[in-house]
Amino acid sequence: MLRRPNPTDSEADLLREQEQFLISGAPSAANVVRRPDKRRGEAGDHNREDEGSQRDVVTIEDLPDELPSLTPAPSKKSRFKASQVTFEDENAEDRLDRHDTHISVVLSRIVERDTSSTPVSLPVFTGMAFPKVLHRSETSSQVPLSLNGGKKSIFARQIAAQRLKENVTPLHAAPEAAQTPKPSEQNLPPETKLPKVSGPRLVTGQGLMGPDSPGETLRIHVENQAKLQALSECEIIEEQKKLLFQLDPRLVEFVRSCKMQNVPSSVSPSQQPEAKSNEGTIPLESARRESDSTSAAVLFQKPQEVEMEVEEGEEGLSAPPAMTVDDVPVKPQKEWVHMDKLEPEKLEWMRDLPTPRRKGTKKAMQARFDFAGSLILPTEDLPTHLGLHHHGEEPERGGYSLQELFLLSRSQVIQQRSLALSTLAKILSKARAGEYLSVLKGNVMSTLLDAGLLFLLRFALDDSVVGVMSAAVHTLKALLVCAEDEEGLDCTFSWFQGLSTFPLLPSAQEEEDEEDEGLDESMKETNREKEERKSDHEVARQDVIKGLLKMKLLPRLRYILEVVIPSSRVVQDVLDVLTRITRHSSSSATQVLDCPRLMETVMSSFLPTSWPPPTSPNPQSVHGLPLASAMKLLRVLAASGRHACARLLNSLGVSERLSCLLSAEPSELLLDPTEALRITTEAYRLWAVAAGYGQACNLYINLYPALVKTLQSVHRALIPSDPLLPLQLQRVLALLSLLTQVTHTAGCHQELQADMVSSMGKECPPPPVVSWGHVTGLQASLLGHLKGFVKSLDNPLQKDSSLTLIPAYLVYLEAYYHQISKQSCFKPVETLQELEQLTSEVLLPLMSHPFVQGLIKNIKPSSVVCNVQSTHLGPETTPSLPGLARPNRSGLPGLVVASSPFPLLTGLGLLLETITGIHKGLSSKFTGLLLSEHVIGYLRSCSQATPPLSHTRAWILRHEHNLLYLLLRLAHRLVPTNPKVAKHASLYHQVALVLLPWLLPGSEYLAHELLSSIIFSKNFISEGHSGGPEAIELEELKLHEETKQHRSPSLQIAGTLLREACVQLPSIRGCFLTHLAHLESSVLVSRDSFLGRNPWINSHLLPELRGPILPSDWPFLPLVSLYERTGVSDSGGLAVEELPVGSLQTVTHSLQWLLLLEMWREEALKVIPPVAKFARLSCVFLCSSDLFLERPVQKLTWGLFRLLTRPSRLDSLDLNFPPPGLASFQDLYSALLAQYEAVSFGDQLFGCWILLPLQKRYSVALRLAVFGEHVGMLRSLGVTLEQLCIPIERYTSPPEDSLPLLHLYFRSLVMGTLKHCWCPVLYVVALSHVNSFIFSQDAAAQEVEAARHSMLRKIYYMTDKVLRNHLLLFRLPNLHSKFGFDMYDQLPPIRAKHLESVCGLQDSSDDKKD
């Protein structure tokens, strides 16, 4: 036997051992395998030398030409070198120049490979961020050797197992063991002879690692069968019951289901959908998003309905039997070419579909839809003749997933493209209606948009096939347009300020551009330049409408209307899409107007001046016929701006169309009656929008006879049995809106005429054509109509129609009486008598009518403000495509429903605001409205509500805000004169306070009026003149007597401060109005809209909805504004040396107002977190070096500090989260510490402000900042325990567990930087934590334990006996003690023993060292 070499062997010994090994002929322990050269592609002859290449080389004698090989492997040879032709006499430099050509030659030889037919394989969607790592320990994923066909590597076995799993092959059973068990074998009766099976059903042998694991598994199975046969019937039944009792019932069902499983659960995923897509038409990024995102909308199964089953490919499922000749429906014939050999895998698609079953896990399942857009349940077995089955991933399940519909929409078959797009349109319509919210997880619309739906539709619009293009237009309309949203806006058009709407812009998201950082303002890119630089995908992801406009949608729609001349349905869809694009913003409306030949095509084709009578009610082509949807498009365009309206009227001939359509009765227009009513209604609305700018007034003079004739026939047209009654009502409402706007415009004629005379050449709006004399004759007729409709409320058949029209009549009367008081022909006496008659004959009977009283009962259920939860289950919306989402769409109450009292109460309140301003004595007759039980309950609910803000609510919240404002204005007139109403003055004041930060853009005038009249009115702060300050003083005196504590300054002076604040209310109002002066221009624009100053209105499109007008913390605005101007700069010092003039008065008035709100209107400030209050009040200390030292500021800030730290509010003050508007509280606290060190002069108020965040429950970083970075301030932080109005226990309990902070505590005590005479509060806090730490015997880490012992030894040997006794004998904090804490007379036995053990251990160790 050969021995192993030793380290001591010499070279001769090794050679001798090698010779013996070769002589013995024993096999070597390692074999050298010579692998073929991969670069050559074949084994080849490795000994062949390079030929023909002569090179200039440097030769050195006695050295080989080539380095010896370090390994026995052959040298690498290039597979291309052999094919190179060289010559012996060729110069190496010439050859190098020939091969090393210029880069241009290389680039010219590049040929782009055609990839149009190459399939793009997308990664499979998984729920994991990274692919699962294959571990060697996972033996279950490996294939036995018998299935591998010999020995293979671990990686190869794992790949083979994965492929077998994909092909639905059992993982661990041998091929002969994969037989389907019979259903009769669920139980095991003893009299039944056990069937002879070739393999086990449950025992798989996956834990056996040997090469003979299948054989071992079979032996175990045979042994189990033998044991079962040896048992008697009673023993088998007893063992069976015992097993059933011990096992989980679900596991038992699983075992039985393995025996019952006869149908395969899946088909090979390699089968692809039947529809083949045109690859390469969708951008790669969109395609990848399509694959990933479409699987996000999956069917959500309720947990209680899901049964536990094994997943596909797991044990217990057997493969279906192979396809045989007998199973083939069509038998192959001998004469058929190449059909002599049967290929079963290619015939699998001819097999019958398996029965659909529910997936065996609780995981979500992919959603599938039918051609009507309805969701198909996974267990639903649909017949195949419906055409919903295809060769997809789950052929047994009918329906199409979103991903499959995307693929089908790019098919080469025209019918498949049309069908896919139509199905997507229906899915989008149902998603908008909210039909999938309860059954689908995820947002269908967002999923489709993320998957690239816009690109898909834009490509489909360019399809040359009209059918596909029509389906794409319909799908685009389903995506963009919501019929319920348009219906809601049309219903509120005749309401007060119903002409104005918010632009449907997505919520603005500020994006930080790193490229612009540090650049001058003139060098930075504008928003338009940034927008142009973005790709279509980036723009569409943020804003769908902008993305479509960037994709040149408008020219394509113009081409469809002008050249293709599609069917009537496509025309309607295109016009609806254009209307939705126009509602997006004024810039989008301008793009629609500027699109070449688009508006000309709409005017000539769908709003002609003459047309033939239609041949049928629903003609196939509507070109040449006037359409209501085209008129509505013009109306929305006109509402976008004064200039757009003027372009429509003057350049596009809209005035002629209005004259043509409105000069005759609807029945005379040669149109279908329904379409005739709709188009005249839209014509009146368009005219009303134009009159809202003071335009198209000449039409009023020309069409005056027709308008009077229409007014005279109002009662005759409103027949209760008429099926067109809703359309007739909308037409009358549109006419009343027109007359209201014309009245407002005529009322401004005299003012504009005077301005033009006195302007002396300055620019001013020209006076309108219509004057007050043109409209004054309509009032009597409309007032008669109103009286008749009020009487019709008693008629059950007419009350609904009357209630619909009465609000519009009230709004018209308000416009008339508002403008008549400004005219030179105004006769006060006659007008007052007329108003008294109107009140007694119309308004009071209307308010007291039982039907109206029943409506008022619905004011709270119909409110959007009070019913926040009513909009949680609204329809689907996406941030990039905002909608209105009417809240009553799903049967919930809302402002727009017929039972809503809001239109009536708003019109009534508006009229009362005007007539009580003219006739002061009429105010007392309407006290019943304010004192109504239902109105009072509604106002109480509003004072406690916190409605969220979004596009889905803003459009309707405006109308409710108007009603609240009008009720408060009525209260403002009645509170000073009516004691009953004055009892609820605090409620009205509370409502005004909560309404102010709710008001949306466009309502700035309402905010200004609230601030000027109600917010700071003494009449609404009843506590100020009814003993409120005295009550506060008595309450504080009682608290002082109970606690027996002398804490100064305290709220004992709060009564005096509140009394002074009530006196200073006019000055406080002036202070806040001054700080809101930047809103002056917006207030003027809002005032023109609210008061009907039409010639000054530039647009009926409200400002972009970025949030409310005022922030919720508006009472702190003067403080924050002063800090921003004069506070701490980036360099650490103050931004300015001196405060602006009047800063002291500004801060004083702001603090007075805050103190008043905190004491008497606490509910109004509940939306502001306490940490935000603390942060805003900190501006008092940061904005100046001495402002906080002023006496009035000191008193007010002390009062606010005491309120902020009351026991009931202290727990809600959470400083661990950043306050709104700040990145972190720690940054603010660091600024406070630096300011205290610089300018505090030991001020007690500033000291308490610094001590507040040092409580134990707040972040340890705040305490580390004091004892680490700003330890010098401890010398001046002289706040005593009596002056601190926070219990000391909040600082000392629980014990400190931060070891670095404990070291800082100990160091500051030992070094003398923290002394009782300098900083009493933190001295007690540091003593308490160090004492509890050194005597703590809780189990801790070795580092902590060592720190305890070290600190205790240092204290024990300390030379400062006073500090030593304080640290060792500290007991508990005590405010009445000399030092602020109690001490032990001597250490308790446990502590003394611990001290001796620690110090004794030190002594013994010292002896050992000696």
Side-chain angles (χ1 to χ4, degrees):
M1 182 177 178
L2 298 175
R3 68 178 184 88
R4 294 178 60 83
N6 294 326
T8 58
D9 291 347
S10 63
E11 186 177 359
D13 296 333
L14 293 177
L15 292 175
R16 186 170 55 255
E17 292 288 339
Q18 179 182 359
E19 185 178 358
Q20 294 178 2
F21 171 77
L22 294 176
I23 294 174
S24 64
S28 60
N31 295 326
V32 177
V33 179
R34 298 186 180 275
R35 299 186 179 275
D37 192 351
K38 295 181 180 180
R39 294 185 295 175
R40 298 197 319 169
E42 56 185 4
D45 183 12
H46 300 290
N47 296 326
R48 186 173 55 186
E49 299 293 332
D50 296 343
E51 299 176 359
S53 86
Q54 300 293 332
R55 295 176 297 177
D56 293 334
V57 295
V58 178
T59 59
I60 303 178
E61 296 181 358
D62 300 329
L63 284 179
D65 294 337
E66 294 181 359
L67 293 175
S69 177
L70 300 180
T71 60
S75 59
K76 298 292 184 180
K77 302 293 181 66
S78 172
R79 74 187 315 183
F80 306 104
K81 192 171 183 179
S83 61
Q84 296 177 355
V85 179
T86 57
F87 302 92
E88 293 183 356
D89 57 347
E90 184 180 8
N91 190 359
E93 184 177 357
D94 294 338
R95 187 172 70 250
L96 181 62
D97 292 337
R98 186 174 66 252
H99 290 286
D100 188 15
T101 56
H102 191 264
I103 186 65
S104 60
V105 180
V106 178
L107 293 178
S108 64
R109 296 177 182 177
I110 295 177
V111 180
E112 185 176 359
R113 185 165 56 94
D114 183 15
T115 60
S116 60
S117 60
T118 304
V120 179
S121 59
L122 300 177
V124 181
F125 179 79
T126 62
M128 297 184 298
F130 298 96
K132 183 179 179 181
V133 179
L134 297 177
H135 296 279
R136 295 182 60 181
S137 59
E138 296 179 356
T139 57
S140 61
S141 63
Q142 299 177 6
V143 179
L145 297 179
S146 59
L147 296 180
N148 284 338
K151 184 177 180 180
K152 288 187 178 181
S153 66
I154 296 176
F155 180 76
R157 293 170 63 187
Q158 289 171 338
I159 295 299
Q162 183 177 356
R163 291 177 177 173
L164 285 176
K165 187 174 182 179
E166 291 178 355
N167 294 329
V168 201
T169 303
L171 287 181
H172 309 294
E176 61 271 11
Q179 298 180 3
T180 304
K182 298 179 181 179
S184 60
E185 296 176 3
Q186 288 187 5
N187 299 321
L188 190 62
E191 66 270 13
T192 304
K193 195 170 184 179
L194 286 172
K196 298 296 183 180
V197 295
S198 59
R201 297 188 183 92
L202 297 179
V203 180
T204 61
Q206 66 179 14
L208 302 177
M209 296 296 296
D212 195 23
S213 58
E216 186 65 25
T217 301
L218 190 59
R219 285 194 294 272
I220 295 174
H221 174 61
V222 172
E223 183 180 352
N224 291 339
Q225 279 189 321
K227 289 185 178 180
L228 284 175
Q229 290 176 350
L231 294 176
S232 62
E233 177 181 358
C234 298
E235 291 174 339
I236 291 178
I237 294 177
E238 182 179 357
E239 292 294 331
Q240 187 183 45
K241 290 181 179 179
K242 186 184 299 183
L243 284 174
L244 292 176
F245 177 76
Q246 294 175 349
L247 295 178
D248 188 352
R250 291 181 296 178
L251 181 58
V252 176
E253 291 297 327
F254 159 68
V255 174
R256 290 175 175 171
S257 67
C258 291
K259 301 175 66 177
M260 294 293 296
Q261 201 63 252
N262 289 324
V263 181
S265 63
S266 65
V267 178
S268 173
S270 60
Q271 298 177 0
Q272 297 298 325
E274 183 179 353
K276 302 296 182 181
S277 63
N278 294 334
E279 301 290 346
T281 54
I282 300 180
L284 181 59
E285 184 177 3
S286 301
R288 188 177 296 111
R289 258 193 346 271
E290 167 192 321
S291 176
D292 295 342
S293 302
T294 51
S295 57
V298 289
L299 184 63
F300 179 77
Q301 296 287 344
K302 297 181 179 179
Q304 59 267 25
E305 297 178 358
V306 177
E307 298 178 359
M308 191 65 182
E309 298 177 4
V310 291
E311 294 192 26
E312 303 175 19
E314 288 190 359
E315 54 187 349
L317 297 183
S318 58
M323 197 77 171
T324 61
V325 180
D326 298 333
D327 298 330
V328 180
V330 180
K331 308 301 181 188
Q333 303 297 327
K334 293 183 178 179
E335 58 271 13
W336 292 357
V337 182
H338 300 303
M339 290 297 293
D340 51 345
K341 182 180 179 182
L342 189 66
E343 298 179 84
E345 62 275 5
K346 294 184 178 180
L347 300 175
E348 288 294 329
W349 66 274
M350 302 180 67
R351 187 189 299 271
D352 291 337
L353 288 175
T355 305
R357 69 178 186 90
R358 187 169 302 174
K359 290 290 183 182
T361 64
K362 294 184 180 180
K363 295 181 180 179
M365 301 178 64
Q366 193 175 38
R368 292 188 174 275
F369 305 89
D370 61 12
F371 296 133
S374 301
L375 196 66
I376 298 178
L377 297 178
T379 55
E380 190 172 355
D381 192 3
L382 298 174
T384 55
H385 71 271
L386 297 178
L388 296 174
H389 294 80
H390 54 89
H391 298 284
E393 295 180 355
E394 299 170 306
E396 71 275 8
R397 288 187 59 191
Y400 285 81
S401 65
L402 297 179
Q403 182 178 0
E404 292 165 352
L405 288 173
F406 266 55
L407 293 175
L408 200 63
S409 65
R410 304 305 299 161
S411 170
Q412 295 181 355
V413 182
I414 297 174
Q415 292 82 355
Q416 290 182 346
R417 297 203 300 271
S418 301
L419 184 63
L421 291 171
S422 301
T423 305
L424 285 173
K426 294 172 183 177
I427 292 173
L428 286 169
S429 300
K430 291 180 179 293
R432 273 197 173 276
E435 296 186 14
Y436 302 138
L437 291 176
S438 59
V439 292
L440 284 185
K441 187 188 339 181
N443 189 309
V444 175
M445 292 186 62
S446 299
T447 301
L448 289 172
L449 289 174
D450 293 341
L453 178 63
L454 287 185
F455 296 95
L456 181 70
L457 296 180
R458 186 62 189 89
F459 298 152
L461 285 175
D462 292 336
D463 202 305
S464 58
V465 180
V466 177
V468 177
M469 178 269 301
S470 302
V473 171
H474 187 59
T475 308
L476 184 64
K477 185 239 183 182
L479 173 66
L480 300 181
V481 182
C482 182
E484 290 82 0
D485 293 352
E486 295 294 330
E487 180 187 355
L489 291 175
D490 292 343
C491 288
T492 58
F493 182 86
S494 60
W495 291 15
F496 174 62
Q497 288 192 321
L499 277 69
S500 303
T501 57
F502 284 106
L504 295 181
L505 281 166
S507 299
Q509 297 178 356
E510 297 293 336
E511 296 183 357
E512 296 182 0
D513 197 340
E514 298 180 356
E515 298 179 2
D516 291 344
E517 291 183 1
L519 294 179
D520 187 65
E521 290 295 331
S522 59
M523 300 290 293
K524 292 183 179 179
E525 286 185 329
T526 62
N527 292 333
R528 184 174 181 178
E529 292 174 344
K530 292 180 180 178
E531 199 77 24
E532 293 175 353
R533 196 164 51 106
K534 294 180 180 178
S535 64
D536 293 352
H537 164 65
E538 292 174 339
V539 175
R541 185 178 57 185
Q542 298 176 359
D543 193 330
V544 170
I545 300 297
K546 279 187 178 180
L548 289 172
L549 293 175
K550 192 175 177 63
M551 297 178 198
K552 307 297 182 183
L553 175 68
L554 295 179
R556 183 59 186 173
L557 294 181
R558 191 270 312 160
Y559 176 84
I560 292 173
L561 293 178
E562 184 181 22
V563 180
V564 178
I565 309 180
S567 62
S568 58
R569 174 186 171 183
V570 177
V571 171
Q572 294 286 353
D573 291 343
V574 170
L575 293 175
D576 290 342
V577 168
L578 290 175
T579 303
R580 175 60 181 84
I581 292 175
T582 306
R583 289 195 185 278
H584 175 266
S585 61
S586 58
S587 62
S588 300
T590 304
Q591 291 188 54
V592 173
L593 275 174
D594 293 340
C595 182
R597 301 201 311 277
L598 174 59
M599 294 310 302
E600 288 79 0
T601 301
V602 172
M603 297 299 297
S604 60
S605 300
F606 311 114
L607 286 174
T609 54
S610 62
W611 59 91
T615 56
S616 64
N618 298 313
Q620 286 296 110
S621 177
V622 291
H623 278 68
L625 295 176
L627 295 180
S629 53
M631 187 65 73
K632 182 176 182 178
L633 171 62
L634 298 183
R635 187 244 299 179
V636 179
L637 280 170
S640 65
R642 166 184 294 274
H643 299 292
C645 184
R647 288 178 60 182
L648 292 174
L649 292 172
N650 302 323
S651 301
L652 295 175
V654 173
S655 299
E656 291 79 3
R657 269 74 172 183
L658 292 178
S659 300
C660 178
L661 292 171
L662 299 178
S663 59
E665 291 292 327
S667 58
E668 302 173 0
L669 292 180
L670 298 180
L671 292 173
D672 179 69
T674 301
E675 186 65 20
L677 287 174
R678 286 176 177 166
I679 195 170
T680 52
T681 300
E682 288 298 336
Y684 279 129
R685 288 173 178 168
L686 172 58
W687 192 1
V689 171
Y693 299 124
Q695 300 174 357
C697 294
N698 54 336
L699 284 178
Y700 174 79
I701 300 175
N702 298 334
L703 297 180
Y704 186 80
L707 294 177
V708 173
K709 183 180 179 181
T710 304
L711 286 175
Q712 293 174 349
S713 63
V714 166
H715 284 283
R716 295 194 303 269
L718 302 179
I719 303 174
S721 59
D722 188 0
L724 300 178
L725 178 61
L727 297 178
Q728 293 281 9
L729 290 174
Q730 291 297 320
R731 179 170 174 265
V732 175
L733 288 174
L735 175 60
L736 292 173
S737 300
L738 166 64
L739 297 179
T740 301
Q741 296 302 325
V742 171
T743 302
H744 276 303
T745 301
C748 300
H749 177 89
Q750 183 175 326
E751 181 182 356
L752 286 172
Q753 189 75 30
D755 290 345
M756 187 176 65
V757 173
S758 61
S759 63
M760 301 298 293
K762 296 180 181 178
E763 291 186 4
C764 66
V769 178
V770 63
S771 63
W772 186 251
H774 291 107
V775 300
T776 186
L778 296 175
Q779 187 263 348
S781 175
L782 293 177
L783 181 59
H785 288 182
L786 177 60
K787 293 178 180 178
F789 286 125
V790 171
K791 293 179 181 179
S792 299
L793 291 175
D794 297 326
N795 188 343
L797 298 178
Q798 298 180 359
K799 63 180 181 181
D800 292 334
S801 302
S802 301
L803 186 64
T804 304
L805 296 176
I806 286 175
Y809 281 96
L810 295 176
V811 173
Y812 166 78
L813 289 178
E814 185 276 334
Y816 177 81
Y817 287 112
H818 176 73
Q819 297 295 343
I820 195 175
S821 60
K822 302 178 182 178
Q823 306 304 316
S824 58
C825 60
F826 174 60
K827 300 178 180 180
V829 177
E830 294 181 5
T831 304
L832 294 180
Q833 294 176 353
E834 192 176 320
L835 292 178
E836 291 177 357
Q837 185 179 2
L838 174 67
T839 300
S840 59
E841 295 181 3
V842 179
L843 298 183
L844 292 180
L846 176 64
M847 290 174 54
S848 60
H849 197 278
F851 187 60
V852 176
Q853 290 295 321
L855 276 181
I856 295 178
K857 293 180 181 179
N858 296 330
I859 185 171
K860 184 177 176 181
S862 302
S863 169
V864 181
V865 170
C866 301
N867 298 280
V868 178
Q869 69 279 2
S870 65
T871 57
H872 285 180
L873 294 179
E876 284 191 9
T877 56
T878 181
S880 60
L881 188 66
L884 304 185
R886 287 176 52 192
N888 65 313
R889 184 184 313 192
S890 55
L892 298 170
L895 270 68
V896 191
V897 295
S899 60
S900 170
F902 282 88
L904 178 63
L905 291 180
T906 302
L908 186 61
L910 191 65
L911 181 58
L912 294 182
E913 165 68 10
T914 299
I915 65 175
T916 54
I918 300 174
H919 194 324
K920 310 294 183 183
L922 293 178
S923 302
S924 59
K925 295 187 178 182
F926 302 105
T927 56
L929 179 62
L930 284 180
L931 297 178
S932 171
E933 177 184 355
H934 303 288
V935 174
I936 292 295
Y938 166 68
L939 292 177
R940 282 204 180 96
S941 299
C942 289
S943 66
Q944 301 171 359
T946 54
L949 177 62
S950 63
H951 270 290
T952 59
R953 303 169 58 88
W955 71 286
I956 202 68
L957 276 175
R958 286 184 59 247
H959 298 289
E960 188 161 1
H961 293 166
N962 288 337
L963 175 61
L964 287 171
Y965 168 77
L966 293 171
L967 291 175
L968 292 174
R969 289 293 299 173
L970 182 60
H972 178 254
R973 299 190 187 278
L974 291 174
V975 164
T977 60
N978 194 304
K980 293 183 179 179
V981 179
K983 291 181 180 179
H984 302 283
S986 59
L987 173 62
Y988 302 138
H989 192 243
Q990 178 75 20
V991 173
L993 288 172
V994 299
L995 175 62
L996 185 62
W998 292 350
L999 292 176
L1000 303 175
S1003 301
E1004 290 84 358
Y1005 176 71
L1006 306 187
H1008 180 269
E1009 289 298 304
L1010 287 177
L1011 289 170
S1012 302
S1013 59
I1014 298 178
I1015 298 293
F1016 300 102
S1017 174
K1018 297 179 182 179
N1019 297 325
F1020 286 86
I1021 307 178
S1022 57
E1023 294 86 353
H1025 51 77
S1026 61
E1030 291 77 9
I1032 296 294
E1033 291 175 346
L1034 290 175
E1035 179 183 355
E1036 199 60 27
L1037 181 61
K1038 180 180 178 181
L1039 179 64
H1040 166 69
E1041 292 177 352
E1042 290 177 355
T1043 57
K1044 300 295 183 183
Q1045 296 177 4
H1046 302 277
R1047 298 183 181 180
S1048 63
S1050 68
L1051 279 183
Q1052 298 171 19
I1053 60 173
T1056 305
L1057 295 176
L1058 290 172
R1059 199 176 291 110
E1060 293 176 359
C1062 292
V1063 174
Q1064 295 293 329
L1065 280 176
S1067 301
I1068 296 174
R1069 175 180 57 194
C1071 170
F1072 278 91
L1073 288 177
T1074 302
H1075 278 82
L1076 296 175
H1078 63 281
L1079 296 175
E1080 182 180 2
S1081 59
S1082 300
V1083 171
L1084 294 177
V1085 173
S1086 176
R1087 181 198 63 180
D1088 294 340
S1089 175
F1090 191 86
L1091 300 181
R1093 295 166 54 86
N1094 290 347
W1096 288 271
I1097 295 176
N1098 289 322
S1099 176
H1100 292 302
L1101 207 59
L1102 295 170
E1104 182 181 351
L1105 185 63
R1106 295 179 178 270
I1109 301 169
L1110 296 179
S1112 58
D1113 60 346
W1114 66 269
F1116 296 90
L1117 277 181
L1119 296 179
V1120 177
S1121 175
L1122 184 62
Y1123 169 73
E1124 290 176 349
R1125 285 186 294 167
T1126 65
V1128 179
S1129 63
D1130 296 337
S1131 59
L1134 294 177
V1136 296
E1137 294 296 334
E1138 295 182 0
L1139 289 173
V1141 179
S1143 298
L1144 177 59
Q1145 289 78 9
T1146 298
V1147 174
T1148 302
H1149 292 328
S1150 179
L1151 294 176
Q1152 285 175 333
W1153 180 241
L1154 288 170
L1155 182 64
L1156 189 146
L1157 292 180
E1158 286 286 354
M1159 292 299 301
W1160 292 333
R1161 297 292 182 267
E1162 184 180 355
E1163 285 292 322
L1165 297 179
K1166 69 177 182 180
V1167 295
I1168 309 175
V1171 63
K1173 297 179 183 179
F1174 182 84
R1176 271 81 176 151
L1177 288 174
S1178 299
C1179 296
V1180 174
F1181 304 98
L1182 295 175
C1183 65
S1184 173
S1185 60
D1186 57 354
L1187 182 63
F1188 61 91
L1189 298 175
E1190 298 289 343
R1191 186 169 182 80
V1193 176
Q1194 278 266 324
K1195 290 181 178 180
L1196 292 166
T1197 311
W1198 264 117
L1200 290 169
F1201 181 75
R1202 286 293 311 277
L1203 287 173
L1204 199 63
T1205 57
R1206 284 188 299 186
S1208 58
R1209 299 189 186 181
L1210 203 54
D1211 291 334
S1212 61
L1213 181 60
D1214 190 357
L1215 305 182
N1216 293 324
F1217 293 95
L1222 292 178
S1224 69
F1225 181 81
Q1226 188 170 354
D1227 296 340
L1228 172 66
Y1229 191 63
S1230 298
L1232 283 172
L1233 293 177
Q1235 184 79 343
Y1236 184 86
E1237 280 188 306
V1239 300
S1240 70
F1241 302 104
D1243 181 66
Q1244 296 178 1
L1245 172 62
F1246 204 167
C1248 290
W1249 211 264
I1250 292 295
L1251 290 173
L1252 174 62
L1254 298 181
Q1255 299 176 57
K1256 180 61 177 66
R1257 68 191 186 101
Y1258 298 137
S1259 173
V1260 69
L1262 303 178
R1263 300 188 288 279
L1264 287 172
V1266 173
F1267 284 90
E1269 303 171 13
H1270 301 276
V1271 69
M1273 63 178 292
L1274 299 177
R1275 188 180 182 91
S1276 59
L1277 195 58
V1279 180
T1280 63
L1281 272 69
E1282 291 80 7
Q1283 294 169 346
L1284 182 67
C1285 48
I1286 304 173
I1288 192 63
E1289 291 76 17
R1290 289 182 173 268
Y1291 295 87
T1292 60
S1293 179
E1296 184 62 62
D1297 54 358
S1298 173
L1299 192 58
L1301 182 57
L1302 288 167
H1303 282 303
L1304 291 177
Y1305 281 157
F1306 183 68
R1307 187 179 69 176
S1308 61
L1309 289 170
V1310 174
M1311 299 295 292
T1313 54
L1314 177 60
K1315 294 184 178 181
H1316 182 271
C1317 58
W1318 292 345
C1319 187
V1321 174
L1322 294 184
Y1323 183 81
V1324 175
V1325 172
L1327 282 181
S1328 174
H1329 287 303
V1330 172
N1331 178 268
S1332 62
F1333 177 70
I1334 61 177
F1335 287 111
S1336 174
Q1337 300 185 26
D1338 297 336
Q1342 184 177 0
E1343 179 186 4
V1344 177
E1345 194 67 28
R1348 286 177 183 170
H1349 292 172
S1350 174
M1351 200 176 293
L1352 184 56
R1353 295 186 192 106
K1354 292 177 182 178
I1355 293 173
Y1356 182 74
Y1357 293 110
M1358 192 178 292
T1359 57
D1360 188 348
K1361 301 301 181 183
V1362 176
L1363 180 59
R1364 176 179 179 274
N1365 290 335
H1366 285 177
L1367 287 170
L1368 293 178
L1369 301 178
F1370 179 87
R1371 185 176 183 181
L1372 288 173
N1374 185 359
L1375 300 180
H1376 305 289
S1377 176
K1378 176 183 177 181
F1379 292 101
F1381 56 90
D1382 292 334
M1383 298 174 59
Y1384 291 107
D1385 296 333
Q1386 59 181 3
L1387 279 177
I1390 297 179
R1391 292 192 172 190
K1393 184 177 180 181
H1394 179 67
L1395 178 61
E1396 291 175 1
S1397 64
V1398 173
C1399 294
L1401 181 62
Q1402 177 68 28
D1403 294 339
S1404 62
S1405 62
D1406 290 343
D1407 294 339
K1408 289 182 180 180
K1409 290 179 181 178
D1410 295 336

